[in-house]
Amino acid sequence: MKLFLDTANIGEIREAWGWGVIDGVTTNPSLVSKEGRKFEDVLREVCSIVDGPVSAEVVSTDHEGMVKEGRALARINRRIVVKVPMTAEGLRATKTLSSETIRTNVTLVFSANQALLAAKAGATFVSPFIGRLDDVGNEGMQIIEDIVASYSHYSYRTEVLVASVRHPVHLVQAAKLGAHIATLPFPVLKSMIRHPLTDIGLERFLKDWERVPK
Ligand code: E4P
């Protein structure tokens, strides 16, 4: 499973990229606004660090506006994937952009039906938001199972990008279901690394090593 980092923070991206486990980055307007910087400047810097897809979201809601913004975003760097909301206009924009070989990520997906439509429109990635479904009392992971199972019968090229990940258990569940990608906040990536038994084991090895004659 590929792992993307869900952030627009350069420090986090630089650090995680250095660990060699990140395949791409996803941003959204809320993440970008937290940084207090111009969107284009952030994107250029992210693309200079990450050798992989970098999702950048349009904020227009009509087909024309989304396509115009999408083309401009794609011109910034070849790594940029245009993130488009899951609406009728968003599907149209996905179709138009993908016919121009501009990669797209259909976002704000909350059902397997929406994911099927995104695939039909030619999306490169589809982003089901599992954490937000959990928040309203649904089983978010169930739609990942439904989407992966539905796609498996057909030859869609769309990859399932599990989004709105809240904790490491989500990652294990997504991987077991065969999702192509998960995008995760930096704190979740850090908590995947740590295990108390690793820390205790390392401490003991280093202590024992001190008794080895040098
Ligand atoms: C990623 O592409 C999404 O924008 C993100 O995962 C949403 O996460 P949130 O529900 O924690 O805001």
Side-chain angles (χ1 to χ4, degrees):
M1 182 167 63
K2 285 176 275 188
L3 295 181
F4 289 178
L5 200 63
D6 197 23
T7 183
N9 182 278
I10 297 298
E12 292 179 350
I13 293 167
R14 214 180 276 288
E15 188 169 356
W17 182 255
W19 296 336
V21 293
I22 292 302
D23 303 286
V25 164
T26 51
T27 67
N28 64 36
S30 307
L31 292 171
V32 173
S33 80
K34 280 205 255 175
E35 300 308 308
R37 298 177 59 197
K38 278 180 71 184
F39 189 24
E40 191 171 329
D41 293 347
V42 172
L43 289 177
R44 285 190 193 284
E45 198 165 352
V46 175
C47 292
S48 73
I49 300 166
V50 174
D51 184 13
V54 175
S55 287
E57 191 159 340
V58 298
V59 288
S60 299
T61 52
D62 63 304
H63 170 258
E64 291 306 312
M66 284 190 246
V67 168
K68 194 170 161 215
E69 265 188 73
R71 286 176 184 147
L73 287 169
R75 270 196 301 272
I76 293 174
N77 192 290
R78 63 180 174 81
R79 297 194 171 111
I80 288 181
V81 174
V82 179
K83 216 169 171 190
V84 172
M86 174 60 222
T87 59
E89 291 293 285
L91 289 173
R92 278 183 69 199
T94 300
K95 180 93 189 150
T96 304
L97 292 168
S98 67
S99 74
E100 297 173 15
T101 68
I102 293 175
R103 291 179 299 169
T104 53
N105 174 357
V106 175
T107 189
L108 291 166
V109 165
F110 293 95
S111 75
N113 278 326
Q114 290 179 320
L116 279 172
L117 295 176
K120 298 285 294 176
T124 313
F125 304 120
V126 63
S127 290
F129 278 32
I130 56 167
R132 293 193 196 185
L133 279 168
D134 290 350
D135 291 345
V136 295
N138 290 339
E139 179 58 58
M141 205 50 72
Q142 185 59 51
I143 70 158
I144 303 303
E145 188 172 341
D146 293 344
I147 297 167
V148 170
S150 312
Y151 279 15
S152 73
H153 298 293
Y154 308 101
S155 52
Y156 301 133
R157 292 216 297 265
T158 309
E159 292 188 75
V160 180
L161 196 174
V162 179
S164 190
V165 164
R166 298 279 158 80
H167 50 74
V169 178
H170 275 152
L171 270 296
V172 177
Q173 292 170 328
K176 283 166 82 173
L177 291 171
H180 302 94
I181 312 158
T183 188
L184 52 156
F186 189 62
V188 176
L189 177 63
K190 281 209 291 192
S191 60
M192 285 173 76
I193 298 175
R194 294 290 300 276
H195 194 287
L197 289 177
T198 305
D199 297 342
I200 292 167
L202 180 60
E203 202 184 318
R204 195 174 299 157
F205 282 156
L206 293 179
K207 230 182 200 113
D208 291 345
W209 185 249
E210 282 170 16
R211 290 198 296 274
V212 175
K214 314 269 175 357

